[in-house]
Amino acid sequence: MRTALAIAASLAITGAATAAEPIRLGMPVDCVPGETCFVQKYVDVDPTEGMSDYLCGHMTNDGHKGTDFRPLMGETFDVIAPADGTMLRGRDGVPNRDFSEPLNVDSRMACGNGVILDLGGGWQSQICHLEPGSLRVRPGQALKKGDVIGVAGASGLVDFRHVHVQYMKDGKVIDPFTGLVQGEAACGDMGTPLWDEATAAAMKNVGETHIIALGFNDAPVTIDMIENGRTNQTIKPGAGAFVAYGLAIGVEEGDEQRLVLKGPGFDIDNTEAVDRPMAQSMRFGGRRLKDGLEPGTYEARMEIVRDGAVISARDASITID
């Protein structure tokens, strides 16, 4: 089950009751889905205490109201207006979370740095967790589709760097992947997506299972270290340990995670099966070195194998000299 915390919407929203108007949304983030950004959480379509995304998968939290786009580890991206509209209100100045510290966020600050946009015709969008100091818009400002709003960050109630994008029509949460009202449709009901043509094509590459980080360290690693960017430090010859690590999202029960590390004195190739669906799964392999790390080039590869086929893979290398 997903271990991420549900994102609470802390900026009050009131939708005006107006006649239904069609809307076609562009990308809310300036990135390439499936390559430089990934969807880790969708709208929860299960009205009970359970949870399900629109594809009947587990990429959500109970009651989750938006779509969470996260960048490739160690990167970020601009957050952009998904349609013409006006900024209603927003907040900036909330610090990013240090993931090594306990999560302790006032519920009023759950959204972190964010904005609410009026997209017209009763449509609104709420955007949360922007990088502090990155907000580029002000209340009352008219926006055109594609205008930069800020930068994806880790402010507020978060357990990974991302931006939370939520859509409402007349105060009701709408899943942009189906155009259906949250709680009024079951998983598998596809409806009509809200995306414009270009965005719909890009979203086909989103998928649900991706390797989003692969790197090296001179000591064992944790997910918190990866999220905080406290790995891939300068590794020197003679280091007393050496490991390769990978972080995957959206793994399913029965998937196999294969990690390979090769280089001077290293020939590690192991595979482990996943015993339950997991929002994210970290794996590392390596060892302590009695005589220190030898100079040379080291290569790592991580694969996610499902039903005998590789569905995601990533390669990395490092030269120690």
Side-chain angles (χ1 to χ4, degrees):
M1 290 294 183
R2 180 169 302 283
T3 58
L5 295 172
I7 303 298
S10 63
L11 302 178
I13 298 169
T14 302
T18 61
E21 293 289 343
I23 191 169
R24 285 293 173 259
L25 300 170
M27 285 288 292
V29 288
D30 187 10
C31 58
V32 181
E35 294 184 18
T36 60
C37 64
F38 313 89
V39 174
Q40 183 151 344
K41 289 197 288 187
Y42 297 86
V43 172
D44 175 26
V45 303
D46 188 335
T48 72
E49 293 183 356
M51 63 183 187
S52 175
D53 60 43
Y54 77 106
L55 294 173
C56 301
H58 62 93
M59 301 291 284
T60 188
N61 280 119
D62 184 27
H64 193 250
K65 296 180 179 181
T67 305
D68 289 355
F69 295 88
R70 71 176 298 166
L72 189 67
M73 195 62 65
E75 305 292 336
T76 191
F77 48 69
D78 285 340
V79 179
I80 56 181
D84 294 351
T86 304
M87 178 183 170
L88 294 179
R89 52 194 178 276
R91 179 170 57 222
D92 199 356
V94 180
N96 280 337
R97 181 190 170 195
D98 182 335
F99 296 101
S100 65
E101 299 293 332
L103 184 58
N104 184 20
V105 177
D106 188 314
S107 61
R108 294 170 297 178
M109 296 294 177
C111 183
N113 304 310
V115 299
I116 293 178
L117 307 179
D118 182 351
L119 305 180
W123 286 95
Q124 292 184 334
S125 178
Q126 181 174 14
I127 296 172
C128 298
H129 313 311
L130 299 176
E131 183 81 11
S134 73
L135 195 62
R136 298 264 295 271
V137 295
R138 63 186 184 278
Q141 180 177 340
L143 298 172
K144 300 297 290 184
K145 192 176 189 176
D147 283 352
V148 176
I149 292 171
V151 175
S155 59
L157 187 62
V158 298
D159 51 9
F160 55 94
R161 174 180 286 268
H162 70 285
V163 62
H164 171 94
V165 184
Q166 179 176 323
Y167 299 101
M168 295 77 63
K169 174 69 169 71
D170 298 333
K172 294 183 178 180
V173 173
I174 308 293
D175 186 343
F177 285 88
T178 64
L180 302 175
V181 176
Q182 184 181 37
E184 296 182 9
C187 74
D189 293 345
M190 301 310 292
T192 301
L194 301 181
W195 310 121
D196 61 27
E197 185 176 355
T199 304
M203 289 297 183
K204 291 180 180 179
N205 299 319
V206 166
E208 291 199 339
T209 306
H210 296 280
I211 298 167
I212 64 170
L214 183 64
F216 305 91
N217 202 39
D218 60 2
V221 299
T222 64
I223 290 179
D224 288 348
M225 291 171 61
I226 299 172
E227 295 287 1
N228 279 324
R230 294 172 183 162
T231 61
N232 286 326
Q233 56 192 350
T234 302
I235 303 173
K236 299 180 179 179
F242 186 65
V243 301
Y245 66 87
L247 182 65
I249 62 173
V251 295
E252 300 287 348
E253 181 178 358
D255 287 352
E256 295 181 333
Q257 295 183 109
R258 182 188 181 207
L259 183 66
V260 176
L261 173 59
K262 297 185 181 295
F266 282 82
D267 189 5
I268 295 172
D269 186 342
N270 57 53
T271 301
E272 183 175 0
V274 177
D275 62 3
R276 66 188 187 282
M278 300 179 69
Q280 57 185 21
S281 176
M282 189 272 290
R283 184 167 178 76
F284 69 87
R287 63 172 183 270
R288 297 187 182 279
L289 301 166
K290 182 178 179 181
D291 297 322
L293 183 65
E294 297 181 39
T297 297
Y298 296 80
E299 298 180 340
R301 179 176 177 85
M302 185 174 178
E303 298 176 344
I304 305 297
V305 181
R306 182 175 298 164
D307 298 327
V310 176
I311 62 170
S312 183
R314 189 169 292 276
D315 297 281
S317 65
I318 187 172
T319 298
I320 307 298
D321 55 20

